[in-house]
Amino acid sequence: MNMIRRQIIYLSGRWIILGLSLLFFLNFIGCAHQTMNIKVSAVAKKYCPRAILVTPFEEQRIFQGSKEEVIKFTNHFQKTLARLGWPIVNRARIKEVLTESQMQDFLNSNGDVAGAKKLAKLLAVDVVIFGQLLCYHKEIDRGINHQNWPTTVGFSARAVNINDGSVLWSITVTDEDSLAVPSSVSVEAHAIKVVNKAITELISQGVKTN
C-alpha cells in the first residue's frame, strides 16, 4: 500500500512539473491574437487607380501614443503600398505642387472627402486613402513577473474613388503580439509586420494595385 501511495505521489509530482514547464514554455514563446475585417467592392477588383494619395492618419480617442508615432505609421503605410506596386503620390511631389496653405490643408485632411477632392485634382489623383490609428502601445502590467509584455497595434483605412465618392475597399485590423522578452520587438517593428500582412491580404482578395 505504501509503495502504491509513493508511486501516486511520484507521478502526481511529475505531472505538476510537466504542467508548470508547459505553462512557462507558452509564456516564453508568447502568443498572437489578430482580428482583421476587410471589405472589397466589386469595382476595386477591376479598377486600376492612376495615382493614390495617402492622407495623414488620425488618432482615435483610445489611441495611446504620440503625434510622431502617427506620422511614422502613416509614412510606413505609404511606403509599403508603394513597395508592393501601388501608384502612390510621394511627399516630395505633394510639396512640389501644393502651396504652404494647401499643404496645411493636406495635413489636416483626414476624413474630409470634400477637402481631399480639391487637393486630389491638383495632384491628378483619382483615389484617396483615409486612415485612423486605433491603438499603438506596449503594455507592462500583464504576464507572469512582467515577462510577457504584449504590443498592440490597430488601425483602419479606406480607399475612396474621388470621381464618384465610392469606397473601393476598407480594412480594420487589431493585432496583439505577446512576447517573453520585452526588448525583442518594439511597437514600431510590430506595426511594420501588421501593415505588411494587411496590405498583402488586400491584394490577395483581388484589389487592383495599378
Side-chain angles (χ1 to χ4, degrees):
M1 181 66 69
N2 289 335
M3 178 66 71
I4 295 175
R5 184 177 301 167
R6 283 198 296 268
Q7 288 180 339
I8 292 174
I9 293 173
Y10 173 75
L11 291 174
S12 298
R14 288 184 64 89
W15 277 111
I16 291 173
I17 293 172
L18 180 61
L20 290 173
S21 299
L22 180 60
L23 179 62
F24 175 80
F25 175 73
L26 291 174
N27 181 63
F28 180 80
I29 64 173
C31 59
H33 175 70
Q34 182 186 75
T35 59
M36 183 182 295
N37 183 26
I38 296 177
K39 295 180 180 178
V40 178
S41 71
V43 175
K45 297 180 180 181
K46 301 177 183 178
Y47 186 77
C48 295
R50 295 190 309 274
I52 300 174
L53 175 66
V54 179
T55 62
F57 274 58
E58 63 177 352
E59 61 268 32
Q60 282 279 58
R61 286 182 301 174
I62 59 174
F63 171 73
Q64 300 177 32
S66 66
K67 192 67 178 178
E68 290 72 21
E69 289 170 331
V70 178
I71 294 171
K72 281 184 179 181
F73 186 88
T74 301
N75 290 340
H76 178 70
F77 189 86
Q78 178 174 304
K79 289 177 182 178
T80 303
L81 288 171
R83 179 172 55 80
L84 293 176
W86 303 57
I88 301 299
V89 177
N90 60 42
R91 189 58 61 91
R93 173 61 178 165
I94 295 172
K95 289 182 178 180
E96 179 184 317
V97 174
L98 302 184
T99 64
E100 185 175 340
S101 174
Q102 290 169 335
M103 191 66 185
Q104 287 302 314
D105 290 340
F106 165 70
L107 294 174
N108 298 314
S109 63
N110 197 295
D112 179 11
V113 176
K117 188 171 183 178
K118 294 178 183 178
L119 297 176
K121 288 182 178 179
L122 293 172
L123 296 165
V125 164
D126 56 334
V127 174
V128 176
I129 295 177
F130 301 96
Q132 292 182 323
L133 196 51
L134 307 176
C135 48
Y136 188 95
H137 63 275
K138 177 186 283 289
E139 295 186 30
I140 59 173
D141 58 349
R142 294 171 54 183
I144 300 175
N145 296 324
H146 297 285
Q147 290 300 302
N148 195 11
W149 297 358
T151 57
T152 304
V153 174
F155 75 92
S156 65
R158 72 186 193 279
V160 177
N161 185 330
I162 292 300
N163 297 319
D164 58 14
S166 63
V167 177
L168 296 172
W169 53 261
S170 64
I171 183 169
T172 301
V173 180
T174 302
D175 188 286
E176 179 182 273
D177 191 7
S178 177
L179 295 166
V181 184
S183 61
S184 62
V185 173
S186 65
V187 184
E188 185 176 355
H190 183 193
I192 289 173
K193 286 172 48 182
V194 172
V195 170
N196 288 346
K197 185 175 181 179
I199 295 175
T200 300
E201 184 61 27
L202 275 172
I203 295 173
S204 72
Q205 292 201 21
V207 175
K208 290 287 186 181
T209 58
N210 54 43

